[in-house]
Amino acid sequence: MHNDRSPRVLIVEDETMISMLIEDMVCDLGGHVVGPAAKFEQAMILALQADFDLAVLDVNVDGLVVYPIADVLRYRGIPFIFVTGYDSSVVPQRYQHNCVLSKPFSHQTFSDALREVFANSSGAPAAC
């Protein structure tokens, strides 16, 4: 993740320990954390207004699915990665080409996914 500035990564995750692990991974990779958002409403406000380069979205945040947030990000042209403790089949068809990481995931898997998404951010969504 090399750029003129550190990539800014929005984290949407309601489980504190997982959020902290993702934050650490983002920082280890030279990124800057935006958020994190543990509530849907907070995440939506950040998705609509904040300045960031990529988002990491837990599929289920505090009992609500994040697909409306993903819709906003898609409209804004901001790439994102889904993370989920569920099977990747829970992701709707319109997002089947986006990267979906199954929890738990390793630092290397996360790093590879971020690099892949950034490499493809100018084109179609990246699957990983």
Side-chain angles (χ1 to χ4, degrees), residues 32-112:
H32 176 77
V33 173
V34 176
K39 300 284 186 192
F40 183 89
E41 295 80 14
Q42 178 188 21
M44 182 59 83
I45 290 168
L46 290 170
L48 288 165
Q49 300 175 358
D51 175 30
F52 56 94
D53 305 298
L54 176 119
V56 177
L57 307 174
D58 183 8
V59 168
N60 184 326
V61 176
D62 203 30
L64 299 170
V65 293
V66 295
Y67 307 124
I69 294 166
D71 291 337
V72 168
L73 298 179
R74 180 182 270 178
Y75 178 79
R76 289 186 64 191
I78 299 172
F80 52 89
I81 296 171
F82 289 117
V83 295
T84 183
Y86 303 106
D87 183 85
S88 63
S89 66
V90 300
V91 176
Q93 183 65 34
R94 70 183 185 270
Y95 291 119
Q96 287 296 312
H97 297 295
N98 284 81
C99 181
V100 180
L101 296 179
S102 296
K103 297 177 191 176
F105 46 84
S106 70
H107 190 290
Q108 186 63 50
T109 300
F110 184 76
S111 173
D112 291 346

